[in-house]
Amino acid sequence: MKLGRNDPCWCGSGAKYKKCHLDRESEPPHDPWKVAAEVAKEFSSEMCLVPEEMKHNCSGKIIKAHTVPRSGSLAKIAQAGHVYTFVPSLPNFIKNKGKLLPQLVGIKNASTFTGF
């Protein structure tokens, strides 16, 4: 089935096909380093994820929280203060020829998210 110019785009963006993906193949490709920088910028935003009923206990400062306790589980499996984890990034994909391989990171940075 061929999409008409005014049909909703196949990608689900909600835009018309003519404003979204029509003739996309004739456009120059995106610079992968700029895309990687934009993704990093979007994922570096800090937001408080504490439930509303608990916010009165907050200091207001957003910190990195561990999904796996650092003093317990991470410390037990660490070697010289480091653990293996996956770090999905464009430089890692290029370095590893398209494979996502585990790499050593310090336990202060392992299994963290910015949200509390």
Side-chain angles (χ1 to χ4, degrees):
M1 179 178 138
K2 185 173 174 162
L3 283 178
R5 293 174 45 82
N6 292 314
D7 289 336
C9 191
W10 58 265
C11 72
S13 67
K16 291 181 180 182
Y17 177 59
K18 67 182 179 185
K19 296 280 187 183
C20 195
H21 275 91
L22 181 67
D23 296 327
R24 182 65 56 101
E25 65 276 355
S26 64
E27 294 179 9
H30 293 287
D31 178 348
W33 297 105
K34 286 183 182 176
V35 172
E38 278 296 313
V39 168
K41 179 181 168 188
E42 289 298 319
F43 279 96
S44 68
S45 64
E46 298 176 346
M47 70 174 68
C48 183
L49 300 173
V50 172
E52 283 298 321
E53 57 272 5
M54 295 177 65
K55 286 200 180 200
H56 65 277
N57 294 326
C58 289
S59 67
K61 182 180 178 201
I62 296 175
I63 63 168
K64 284 188 174 180
H66 286 269
T67 58
V68 178
R70 183 173 58 159
S71 61
S73 304
L74 285 178
K76 288 186 182 357
I77 63 171
Q79 294 179 349
H82 290 78
V83 293
Y84 280 99
T85 190
F86 293 98
V87 181
S89 69
L90 184 59
N92 285 344
F93 281 122
I94 291 172
K95 180 175 85 176
N96 299 319
K97 298 180 174 79
K99 295 180 183 173
L100 184 58
L101 300 176
Q103 66 184 56
L104 281 172
V105 298
I107 62 172
K108 286 186 178 181
N109 296 316
S111 80
T112 61
F113 66 96
T114 308
F116 291 122

